[in-house]
Amino acid sequence: MRKVLGAVAAVMLVGCGTGTRPEDAAQAVDGLELKQETGVVSGRFAQAGSEARFSSKQVEEGVYRIEVSQNGMSLTGLVDVANGVSSLDGFAAESGQDTQMLDGDREVLAGLYAALNAQLPAGDAAAPEAKYLRRAVSLWSQHPSSVELQRTVMGEQGRGYTMLCSYAKCNGAWTGSCGGVYNWYSYAKHDCQHGGFSYTGNQQIAQLGDHGSCSGDEFYMSGGVWKCGEPDHWSRPKVMGICFGRCGGGCGGDTQYTLDATNHNGCVRNGHALASAYCDDQFMSASDDEMFAPNCY
């Protein structure tokens, strides 16, 4: 996590897992409506009767205020990029009380994240207010129910996060087939009910990067042959695919490959669900990477 305090920044998300009112849902048209002006991005996203409204605005140099409201949740805050500080919070919109991020909340946010990826320019080509909106939405779309919504996230390269850009290449390229030339990263690690970080069943030898997937899953090597799927706590299997080690869900709009994101990927893709409590510590460690780590390309 970040270890340098600066001007306090806040990103607040609120969720109760309930839908929009029937009369509102009936009027919502599925899809993304996005409006961009100098220093401001805003809009709405509707999906299967639920709606999210969002905005991101530069309030001073390098400081962005982000607001997201959906499923009875309110998200609001600041991201101080220059000082690498953000303060996350979440509460129920009607009562102002603390709440949890539930499956329905994550589903809407994941849909919004995918829609932003499709419509916004990739990486640093996006305006900063749009890029940090996308990163915040991605972070919260993965937020486990068992992790408190209110927390401070701080990042500093070499202390808060460790870049692994070079491992995301294979066969000399960031994307495309490895052509039999791999750049293994040993190891993606986590701890859980099976054991600690040193237990080989909690470790995977990963080819980081965007180098193919199968039926929306990844490849693993068994008996010298690549197969489709995710091995469950095997002893150090070789794996690749679906942007292993990349911050964000799947292959998102940013290209940050980091140590903590690799370990979080290794946890949720090794016999655990995205919101598994066993992966909470990896999620917490990767939060600063997602908000502040630079893009690799």
Side-chain angles (χ1 to χ4, degrees), residues 8 29 41 69 74 98 106-107 110 136 169 177 187 212 235 271 290 293:
V8 174
V29 177
V41 60
S69 60
S74 293
D98 292 340
R106 284 186 289 266
E107 184 176 352
K169 281 187 175 182
S177 171
Y187 302 99
S235 179
E290 176 127 21

Side-chain angles (χ1 to χ4, degrees), residues 53-106:
R53 293 187 177 271
F54 58 86
S55 67
S56 178
K57 179 180 181 180
Q58 178 173 287
V59 293
E60 59 182 86
E61 186 68 28
V63 180
Y64 303 91
R65 181 177 180 83
I66 299 173
E67 298 181 351
V68 179
S69 60
Q70 58 93 23
N71 278 1
M73 309 168 73
S74 293
L75 317 140
T76 180
L78 299 171
V79 177
D80 183 347
V81 179
N83 291 290
V85 182
S86 64
S87 178
L88 311 180
D89 196 4
F91 54 87
E94 290 189 3
S95 66
Q97 298 298 309
D98 292 340
T99 188
Q100 292 177 297
M101 187 71 69
L102 303 179
D103 288 342
D105 305 321
R106 284 186 289 266

Side-chain angles (χ1 to χ4, degrees), residues 5-18:
L5 284 171
V8 174
V11 176
M12 300 166 62
L13 295 174
V14 180
C16 302
T18 60

Side-chain angles (χ1 to χ4, degrees), residues 143-281:
H143 196 279
S145 302
S146 49
V147 173
E148 291 186 6
L149 289 168
Q150 184 177 17
R151 56 198 182 91
T152 299
V153 177
M154 304 169 58
E156 180 184 13
Q157 186 167 348
R159 298 178 67 192
Y161 56 84
T162 300
M163 303 301 298
L164 298 180
C165 295
S166 62
Y167 291 99
K169 281 187 175 182
C170 72
N171 203 25
W174 295 110
T175 62
S177 171
C178 291
V181 180
Y182 299 95
N183 187 19
W184 302 115
Y185 182 75
S186 303
Y187 302 99
K189 302 178 181 179
H190 73 280
D191 57 343
C192 64
Q193 77 273 28
H194 296 284
F197 288 92
S198 61
Y199 171 55
T200 60
N202 288 346
Q203 301 176 3
Q204 295 172 310
I205 304 174
Q207 168 61 58
L208 306 188
D210 182 8
H211 302 295
S213 64
C214 51
S215 302
D217 213 325
E218 66 188 28
F219 293 100
Y220 67 95
M221 186 171 287
S222 177
V225 177
W226 285 109
K227 297 185 178 180
C228 185
E230 298 181 355
D232 186 350
H233 292 89
W234 289 15
S235 179
R236 293 176 179 167
K238 290 183 176 178
V239 297
M240 66 174 293
I242 48 177
C243 294
F244 206 113
R246 186 163 166 171
C247 292
C251 297
D254 288 283
T255 58
Q256 311 146 279
Y257 288 91
T258 71
L259 176 61
D260 290 336
T262 295
N263 288 338
H264 184 240
N265 282 185
C267 185
V268 301
R269 299 179 187 182
N270 192 359
H272 301 294
L274 173 64
S276 171
Y278 290 116
C279 302
D280 283 0
D281 49 346

